[in-house]
């Protein structure tokens, strides 16, 4: 099992999609941002622009799925309008949302807790352990270069990262809420701070 490097990063779940609003499981299905999601991405960019002094962003790395990539592009535009460099969004396939297989498009159900516990994997889907390994590897790639990255990604991915940070995994991350992830030190838990 790969360990998460003890390096800080910004994490941003993509803005809202229609399937988010309907409580449906998206997974790898490439659902675009809705109008609310576009506005959420703009607001996230504004929030991040107010915190660049304390936690400057060196680059933006995103899932290639459209809802995350578009969120990252909007945030990059807003940051540039507020004095940050004009970041070119880097894509990493390892940041794609978990594949929920046969559960994609269906309402989120009771199976989710069993999936996180490793007792259930949807047909043609990805296990939570597989997702955790992939998520940690992707974040480690993003944090290896100098400076702090902004990672724009997905809710399921963040649950896997919470598990890797030694935190309770099944906590829902709201759409487009910037999250500062700070390691506390050797053997100590990570600290997560949401900004709004």
């Amino acid at each position: 099992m790969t360990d998460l490097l003890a390096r800080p990063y910004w994490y941003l779940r993509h803005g809202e999609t229609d399937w988010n609003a309907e409580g449906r499981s998206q997974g790898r299905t490439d659902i675009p941002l809705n109008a609310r999601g576009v506005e959420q991405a703009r607001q996230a960019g504004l929030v991040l622009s107010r915190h660049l002094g304390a936690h400057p962003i060196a680059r933006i790395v995103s899932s290639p799925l459209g809802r995350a990539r578009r969120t990252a592009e909007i945030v990059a535009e807003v940051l540039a309008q507020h004095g940050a460099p004009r970041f070119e969004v880097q894509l990493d396939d390892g940041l794609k949302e978990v594949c929920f297989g046969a559960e994609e498009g269906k309402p989120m159900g009771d199976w989710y807790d069993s999936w996180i516990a490793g007792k259930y994997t949807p047909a043609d889907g990805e296990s939570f352990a597989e997702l955790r390994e992939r998520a940690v590897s992707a974040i480690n790639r993003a944090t290896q270069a100098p400076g702090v990255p902004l990672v724009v990604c997905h809710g399921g991915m963040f649950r896997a990262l919470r598990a890797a940070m030694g935190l309770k995994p099944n906590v829902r991350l709201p759409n487009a809420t910037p999250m500062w992830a700070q390691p506390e030190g050797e053997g100590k838990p990570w600290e997560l701070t949401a900004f709004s």
Side-chain angles (χ1 to χ4, degrees):
M1 185 184 317
T2 305
D3 290 328
L4 192 60
L5 296 175
R7 296 180 179 152
Y9 60 95
W10 282 103
Y11 193 93
L12 182 67
R13 184 184 177 202
H14 59 80
E16 185 184 83
T17 69
D18 286 346
W19 279 20
N20 288 144
E22 295 164 7
R24 294 164 73 183
S25 171
Q26 290 179 118
R28 293 280 175 84
T29 306
D30 206 357
I31 305 299
L33 297 179
N34 59 23
R36 182 168 187 242
V38 169
E39 181 55 31
Q40 287 174 332
R42 285 194 185 99
Q43 290 301 314
L46 290 172
V47 170
L48 286 163
S49 73
R50 292 194 296 267
H51 297 282
L52 290 179
H55 306 299
I57 294 169
R59 67 197 155 281
I60 299 176
V61 185
S62 175
S63 159
L65 294 178
R67 59 192 184 266
R69 187 183 69 246
R70 184 68 187 122
T71 299
E73 292 166 350
I74 292 168
V75 167
E77 291 167 12
V78 173
L79 289 176
Q81 291 166 1
H82 289 84
R86 181 57 175 98
F87 295 110
E88 194 69 37
V89 175
Q90 303 168 26
L91 302 179
D92 184 334
D93 277 348
L95 293 173
K96 284 182 179 175
E97 179 62 299
V98 60
C99 178
F100 280 136
E103 295 290 349
E104 293 191 12
K106 297 178 182 176
M108 296 299 290
D110 295 337
W111 60 269
Y112 208 79
D113 289 327
S114 296
W115 170 69
I116 288 175
K119 298 175 183 174
Y120 169 76
T121 299
D124 301 319
E126 186 175 16
S127 72
F128 189 73
E130 291 169 326
L131 174 65
R132 182 195 180 282
E133 186 71 15
R134 182 166 60 79
V136 167
S137 294
I139 292 296
N140 286 351
R141 282 192 299 277
T143 60
Q144 279 179 343
V148 174
L150 166 62
V151 177
V152 184
C153 206
H154 305 277
M157 289 288 288
F158 200 65
R159 284 175 168 90
L161 289 169
R162 286 182 61 91
M165 289 185 267
L167 304 171
K168 180 181 173 185
N170 200 6
V171 174
R172 188 173 192 279
L173 180 62
N175 291 98
T177 297
M179 180 73 65
W180 174 248
Q182 173 73 47
E184 284 297 292
E186 197 65 37
K188 294 181 182 177
W190 285 66
E191 182 179 328
L192 300 177
T193 307
F195 289 86
S196 58

